[in-house]
Amino acid sequence: MPTRHARFITLEGIEGAGKSTHLAFLKEHIEAAGVPLVVTREPGGTALGEKIRELLLHSADNSMCADTELLLMFAARAEHLNKIIKPSLADGRWVLSDRFTDATYAYQGGGRGLPAARIRALEDWVQQGLRPDLTLLLDIPVAQGLRRAGARGAPDRFEREHGEFFERVRAAYLAAATREPDRFRVIDTAPEIPAVQAQLRAALAPLLAG
Ligand code: Z5A
């Protein structure tokens, strides 16, 4: 029997903020506390969701409408919620998701300029009130993030965007963190990795203690 109430944790951030780098550390740290954990990602996390991810990230056609992009994000999310997130939480397993709906507000809202009300309508419909318990926002100045990300391979459809796009995305993330200080923990990922891990440990401590 699970001893703690199952928690839904999300990891967010702009390009190059260090999500992939810190996901493995988070998994290890949470599991070391004896917590059964499912690690997943968006867009994706299910067989159909991964196909939608492929369309979203690697479509050769750069002219996808912003509304199409938004609807595909929520189509993948509906699958993810119903097949992975909700069943895992109901089973007492914690869920750590590499991105969730805050990414939609940041990228499709802040980045693409879609109205927040349109995103909220889909959020209410698809999530039926389910929200993360904790959101770790990995934050880094855009220029530094893009420098770090630039060291990787061929860019996907989002990674081909310009600095101003990521400035809008970052501003939207930080505004969300200011609006919901109880749910968000902003982690400064500009320092070296051990210093970032110390912040992550501190952010998780209250949940792991509870
Ligand atoms: N998207 C959306 O638009 N709307 C939505 O609703 C959702 C998603 C759910 C998915 O990409 C894309 O989908 C995403 C938004 C969009 N596009 N973008 N951009 P993703 O999340 O799968 O991929 P990503 O954003 O490119 O993130 P990533 O690959 O997970 O990782 P990262 O955050 O960019 O960073 P990293 O690969 O861990 O680190 C980058 C480099 O920096 C790497 O070489 C590290 O070794 C180095 N690094 C990291 N931390 C440090 C420190 N502290 N010191 C020194 N070097 C470091």
Side-chain angles (χ1 to χ4, degrees):
M1 285 291 286
T3 52
R4 297 181 182 92
H5 172 58
R7 303 294 189 170
F8 179 27
I9 302 169
T10 56
L11 190 60
E12 298 282 359
I14 62 162
E15 179 68 5
K19 288 187 305 88
S20 294
T21 304
H22 296 294
L23 200 67
F25 167 76
L26 287 168
K27 177 178 188 304
E28 210 176 287
H29 183 63
I30 295 169
E31 287 180 344
V35 170
L37 179 72
V38 173
V39 178
T40 183
R41 70 172 181 181
E42 289 208 352
T46 64
L48 179 54
E50 291 294 326
K51 287 185 184 162
I52 296 174
R53 179 187 178 93
E54 189 60 26
L55 286 174
L56 281 161
L57 269 60
H58 301 296
S59 166
D61 178 5
N62 254 347
S63 66
M64 184 184 293
C65 298
D67 276 337
T68 308
E69 188 177 280
L70 173 65
L71 290 164
L72 285 174
M73 291 294 175
F74 271 100
R77 186 160 298 138
E79 283 291 299
H80 194 210
L81 273 162
N82 287 299
K83 299 214 171 119
I84 305 289
I85 298 175
K86 285 184 187 170
S88 300
L89 294 172
D91 222 24
R93 283 173 291 160
W94 292 31
V95 174
L96 172 60
S97 184
D98 182 349
R99 297 197 188 278
F100 191 61
T101 305
D102 294 301
T104 313
Y105 283 104
Y107 282 80
Q108 282 64 53
R112 303 278 190 234
L114 290 179
R118 200 174 298 175
I119 301 172
R120 196 162 317 283
L122 290 166
E123 179 182 30
D124 290 344
W125 177 26
V126 169
Q127 292 172 219
Q128 301 284 310
L130 187 92
R131 299 277 188 289
D133 296 295
L134 172 67
T135 296
L136 300 166
L137 172 56
L138 304 191
D139 183 54
I140 192 163
V142 170
Q144 193 176 354
L146 292 181
R147 260 197 311 279
R148 283 183 181 172
R152 294 187 306 217
D156 65 36
R157 216 170 52 80
F158 290 96
E159 291 166 348
R160 290 197 289 271
E161 289 293 342
H162 299 291
E164 296 128 50
F165 176 86
F166 290 107
E167 291 289 359
R168 294 197 299 277
V169 172
R170 182 184 184 213
Y173 269 135
L174 290 172
T178 302
R179 276 195 307 275
E180 286 189 71
D182 290 345
R183 173 165 70 89
F184 276 86
R185 290 292 170 273
V186 180
I187 308 292
D188 177 8
T189 61
E192 293 300 306
I193 287 171
V196 178
Q197 290 178 344
Q199 296 176 66
L200 291 169
R201 268 194 294 271
L204 283 170
L207 278 196
L208 291 175

